[in-house]
Amino acid sequence: MKHVRQLAAIALTALLLPIGQAATALTITNRDADSMNLTVVEQSGQQGVELSIDTQQTLDGFCPRGCVITLGNGASDTFEGTEVVSIQNGQFIVDE
């Protein structure tokens, strides 16, 4: 019975871990009139990931350990991974 409880606790932790990470991960909203291409390089040194964000679209739950994001126009910034960020006039604006 003890092993069943331990397995249940492990399973519950595995399910809740992504929820906890999303709460501390970056959120970014495109407030520009045009879609934007982003290149995201996480601080862990992984290869960059190309993303596209439509007008008024919000992406969240990424960069939990920090990252560098570069917009298609060359604007770039470093984030800790806890910020709420907007793209306005082709630039990053930290909302929170």
Side-chain angles (χ1 to χ4, degrees):
M1 189 63 152
K2 183 177 178 182
H3 294 293
V4 172
R5 282 192 216 136
Q6 288 174 337
L7 289 175
I10 291 169
L12 182 60
T13 301
L15 288 173
L16 294 178
L17 184 60
I19 293 170
Q21 286 181 340
T24 61
L26 183 77
T27 298
I28 188 166
T29 301
N30 182 7
R31 301 201 190 285
D32 270 351
D34 298 316
S35 296
M36 284 285 201
N37 292 320
L38 312 171
T39 302
V40 180
V41 179
E42 294 206 24
Q43 300 294 35
S44 60
Q46 297 175 346
Q47 186 174 3
V49 175
E50 301 287 328
L51 301 173
S52 181
I53 183 169
D54 291 327
T55 300
Q56 300 304 314
Q57 181 182 7
T58 298
L59 301 175
D60 59 5
F62 65 99
C63 296
R65 293 179 186 92
C67 63
V68 175
I69 302 177
T70 304
L71 296 175
N73 65 7
S76 183
D77 210 335
T78 301
F79 300 99
E80 293 178 10
T82 57
E83 300 90 346
V84 175
V85 178
S86 296
I87 300 170
Q88 296 178 8
N89 300 318
Q91 300 293 318
F92 294 108
I93 307 293
V94 178
D95 300 325
E96 293 179 26

